[in-house]
Amino acid sequence: MSQHIYGIFDYHRLHQQFLHTIAYDALVWTSLHGLLVGDKSVQRSGSVPGVGLVHAPVALFPTPFPENHWREACELAPIFNELVDRVSLDATFLHDSLSRTKKADEFTSRLLDIHSMMIQINKKEEIRLGLHRSDYMLDEKTKSLLQVELNTIASSFASLSNLVTELHRYILSCHGKLLELDSKRIPANDAVNQYADALAKAWRL
């Protein structure tokens, strides 16, 4: 994206009433399209359908991001996917690398214990499916693309990110002229369908 786009995102120049209007439109959209999460402060949340739901935490506007770095991240994805797959097959390396984490993190400890049990009973699977999400940020000084996290657990974000993309398109389709932003500049996000296709293919195999 151009430097002009970066300059637009000065929220201080926007009138508060205008921001409140956009926020209200966003909240209505999230309610109508299921961009929601359970509210733990509501006792019956998660046990009674439709009770104790709030909008998922979202940014009101899409974050400007250079197209060349976005493409770079897309090109890196299959490389990191293969790396994770190879590491998952190297039990010794995996347990050695996470030995300190195992002592400090109960969740990782349980996963490694399950992995050890599978090794002991010689449980092997010829079919493997990885659902991964890489998070990136731009370094302010060097403008380099830096990986913050590679997540192999949070598959729900495929659905959430897909909905957030559609939310941002909706907001810009309604208010883009005043914001001087074009909804067509938001890249396509088909992660939820890709995840579903991968799960279906793995099940068929």
Side-chain angles (χ1 to χ4, degrees):
M1 294 185 178
S2 67
Q3 290 297 318
H4 174 67
I5 295 295
Y6 279 102
I8 289 300
F9 278 73
D10 179 10
Y11 303 126
H12 300 289
R13 74 177 181 81
L14 300 176
H15 194 278
Q16 283 297 310
Q17 185 57 47
F18 180 45
L19 286 175
H20 285 310
T21 298
I22 297 175
Y24 177 82
D25 290 345
L27 291 177
V28 172
W29 194 97
T30 61
S31 299
L32 293 174
H33 293 82
L35 185 49
L36 305 167
V37 294
D39 185 352
K40 293 182 179 180
S41 67
V42 178
Q43 187 175 3
R44 294 191 297 166
S45 177
S47 60
V48 180
V51 174
L53 296 175
V54 296
H55 66 87
V58 296
L60 197 55
F61 303 116
T63 301
F65 200 80
E67 183 177 350
N68 62 314
H69 286 306
W70 178 79
R71 294 188 181 280
E72 182 183 357
C74 292
E75 293 171 358
L76 285 170
I79 299 173
F80 277 117
N81 289 344
E82 184 175 355
L83 175 63
V84 171
D85 183 60
R86 291 190 181 188
V87 169
S88 72
L89 298 176
D90 191 334
T92 301
F93 176 81
L94 189 63
H95 282 264
D96 287 347
S97 299
L98 294 174
S99 59
R100 294 177 63 184
T101 306
K102 177 180 172 65
K103 297 176 182 178
D105 184 73
E106 183 180 353
F107 180 70
T108 302
S109 178
R110 291 201 307 269
L111 289 178
L112 290 174
D113 288 342
I114 294 172
H115 188 252
S116 296
M117 290 172 58
M118 295 300 100
I119 294 174
Q120 290 175 9
I121 64 175
N122 199 30
K123 177 70 173 179
K124 295 182 180 180
E125 294 289 350
E126 297 300 325
I127 300 171
R128 301 185 304 277
L129 171 65
L131 299 175
H132 307 149
R133 189 195 80 237
S134 285
D135 298 338
Y136 295 94
M137 287 186 176
L138 286 180
D139 181 70
E140 186 175 358
K141 291 183 178 180
T142 66
K143 304 303 180 185
S144 300
L145 182 72
L146 300 180
Q147 187 183 58
V148 178
E149 176 185 15
L150 199 164
N151 200 304
T152 61
I153 294 293
S155 58
S156 64
F157 272 63
S159 174
L160 289 173
S161 64
N162 179 265
L163 288 172
V164 171
T165 297
E166 294 306 316
L167 168 64
H168 286 159
R169 281 207 182 99
Y170 170 75
I171 290 174
L172 295 193
S173 69
C174 296
H175 306 287
K177 287 187 178 180
L178 290 175
L179 293 168
E180 300 179 42
L181 295 174
D182 184 1
S183 63
K184 296 178 181 178
R185 295 294 305 275
I186 300 177
N189 185 337
D190 197 38
V192 66
N193 290 325
Q194 293 177 4
Y195 270 41
D197 289 343
L199 288 165
K201 183 177 181 179
W203 181 82
R204 287 194 297 267
L205 293 175

